[in-house]
Amino acid sequence: MKSKSFIAVTVIIAVLAFVGAFKTSAAYADVAARTLKLAHVLPVGSNFDVGANKFKDIIAKSSKGKIKVEIYAGDMTGDEVEAAEMTRAGNLDIAWVSTGSLSAFVKDLMLLDMPFLFRDTNHVNKVLNGPVGEEILKKFDGTKLKAIAFAEDGWREITNNKRPIKTLADLKGIKLRTMMNDMNADMYKALGAIPTPIPSGEIYSSIQTGLVNGQDNGVYVANSVGYIAIQPYVCMIQHFYSSGLVLVSEKLWNKLNAEEKKLIKDAAREAGQYQRNWFWKTETDLAKKLASEGKVTLTYPKDRDAWVKAVEPVYKKYFAEYPHWKPIVDKIRKTK
């Protein structure tokens, strides 16, 4: 009796295994061989490039080599708005971009740039990979762009070539390049700096010519594109977090079947989380290394509460203009 039961169980397991294998094979049969063109504005080895290459590796593995990715690091476009437009037009399959430059497409992206909104990288991961993140991604519906995942632009520091910023008072009067959105400008005005919106491709020349004294990419990004060489003062304040987005051409997305969409979205999401976790350790390690080599002067303001208080009017202004932001911000702050 026991022998018959054992045989029956063995047969059932074998059948289930066969069915599972058949389903898996059928799913992969639905995945068409294709090569996706992905572009970002930063150079090879940058944080965007790390995320894009992780995406490339994950999708190659999960699609069993059927889906390949060609990455164009900083040489297809030098401007994120242009990259998004190319993707919307279908001339580019995927754009790996920061949220800060895309408020013209989705105004609500600006709420992610609110100063001192996120506590740490763990908090960011939980928010962006949770209900709030999905809610924001869906806001791209109707723009002819499909936002499939959040990537990493990074925690922002302030670099400049004028003086060390040890306290909030030291920031007063410093001309800082900001991203092309109102939120950044309002934040820096509240903090006492002079904001100057400049496209990402013009930051280096603007620093060289003195149009601005500084900028606010993280240390890793600033070093990878040469800003640190002409910006020796680094303020490690993490005054706001700049997220990244993985945008897919709607023309491409509508041609994909359900299995292909899932593979691409899952790969982008996994790559984004990998990039976020990788970034902060790399950022702090590099900052300390550059300081030990005498290339930068690091400062860690101890008056953080004064910075937080100074930007309260920014929250008041945007909650008045976009009252639906407040419940979203409340959800972000309550996320544990």
Side-chain angles (χ1 to χ4, degrees):
M1 193 72 177
K2 288 182 180 179
S3 178
K4 289 182 178 179
S5 297
F6 176 78
I7 292 171
V9 170
T10 303
V11 169
I12 290 171
I13 292 173
V15 169
L16 289 176
F18 173 78
V19 171
F22 177 78
K23 286 183 177 179
T24 301
S25 298
Y28 280 112
D30 290 338
V31 177
R34 66 177 75 244
T35 298
L36 304 177
K37 292 183 178 180
L38 181 157
H40 61 75
V41 300
L42 297 179
V44 172
S46 64
N47 60 326
F48 277 11
D49 203 49
V50 167
N53 275 283
K54 187 66 175 178
F55 169 75
K56 176 181 178 177
D57 293 343
I58 293 169
I59 197 66
K61 184 176 180 180
S62 62
S63 70
K64 295 190 179 298
K66 286 191 171 184
I67 300 177
K68 296 179 172 61
V69 179
E70 290 181 356
I71 298 173
Y72 297 86
D75 61 355
M76 181 175 283
T77 175
D79 182 77
E80 293 191 315
V81 174
E82 181 186 358
E85 291 287 7
M86 289 173 65
T87 306
R88 183 156 67 170
N91 297 323
L92 181 65
D93 295 317
I94 300 174
W96 201 281
V97 293
S98 67
T99 56
S101 298
L102 300 181
S103 58
F105 294 87
V106 174
K107 200 73 173 177
D108 287 351
L109 282 178
M110 282 173 37
L111 76 85
L112 293 175
D113 288 340
M114 296 189 89
F116 303 102
L117 178 62
F118 293 101
R119 296 187 295 273
D120 52 34
T121 296
N122 184 52
H123 185 211
V124 173
N125 276 330
K126 289 183 176 180
V127 170
L128 298 187
N129 283 341
V132 173
E134 283 300 316
E135 181 181 345
I136 293 172
L137 291 177
K138 287 178 181 177
K139 292 180 183 293
F140 272 87
D141 293 352
T143 66
K144 295 185 179 180
L145 288 165
K146 182 67 179 178
I148 61 171
F150 286 97
E152 170 85 340
D153 192 16
W155 293 96
R156 296 295 179 123
E157 322 295 350
I158 298 173
T159 69
N160 82 96
N161 56 18
K162 196 168 185 179
R163 59 175 173 262
I165 300 171
K166 299 178 181 179
T167 67
L168 178 58
D170 293 327
L171 189 61
K172 187 173 182 178
I174 288 184
K175 294 181 290 183
L176 282 179
R177 175 268 174 178
T178 68
M179 292 184 288
M180 307 292 282
N181 70 43
D182 296 337
M183 173 71 72
N184 284 167
D186 290 334
M187 174 184 64
Y188 282 120
K189 285 177 185 175
L191 293 173
I194 302 172
T196 307
I198 293 172
S200 56
E202 299 175 17
I203 298 176
Y204 190 91
S205 60
S206 298
I207 296 170
Q208 279 189 316
T209 60
L211 180 61
V212 293
N213 307 124
Q215 57 87 53
D216 65 0
N217 281 287
V219 176
Y220 186 82
V221 174
N223 189 61
S224 70
V225 291
Y227 304 157
I228 289 295
I230 54 176
Q231 303 265 280
Y233 304 116
V234 179
C235 176
M236 302 290 286
I237 185 64
Q238 297 95 57
H239 51 313
F240 79 100
Y241 174 82
S242 181
S243 185
L245 274 175
V246 183
L247 298 178
V248 178
S249 166
E250 190 175 85
K251 288 184 179 180
L252 168 65
W253 194 253
N254 290 340
K255 294 176 183 176
L256 302 175
N257 61 41
E259 184 63 24
E260 291 167 333
K261 288 177 179 177
K262 185 178 187 306
L263 286 175
I264 292 172
K265 184 169 183 175
D266 287 352
R269 181 175 170 135
E270 185 180 340
Q273 179 149 329
Y274 170 86
Q275 189 186 5
R276 284 189 292 276
N277 293 337
W278 167 90
F279 178 83
W280 185 238
K281 183 179 187 307
T282 303
E283 174 85 349
T284 52
D285 287 350
L286 177 61
K288 292 174 182 177
K289 179 176 182 292
L290 292 173
S292 69
E293 294 171 350
K295 294 179 179 178
V296 299
T297 298
L298 297 181
T299 55
Y300 299 84
K302 295 180 179 179
D303 60 342
R304 190 179 182 84
D305 289 346
W307 294 64
V308 174
K309 185 175 181 180
V311 299
E312 286 178 0
V314 178
Y315 279 84
K316 185 179 292 186
K317 172 185 174 180
Y318 284 91
F319 285 165
E321 191 170 351
Y322 306 101
H324 65 286
W325 282 15
K326 190 175 188 308
I328 299 175
V329 168
D330 289 341
K331 288 178 187 176
I332 291 173
R333 287 175 167 167
K334 290 176 183 178
T335 300
K336 301 298 183 183

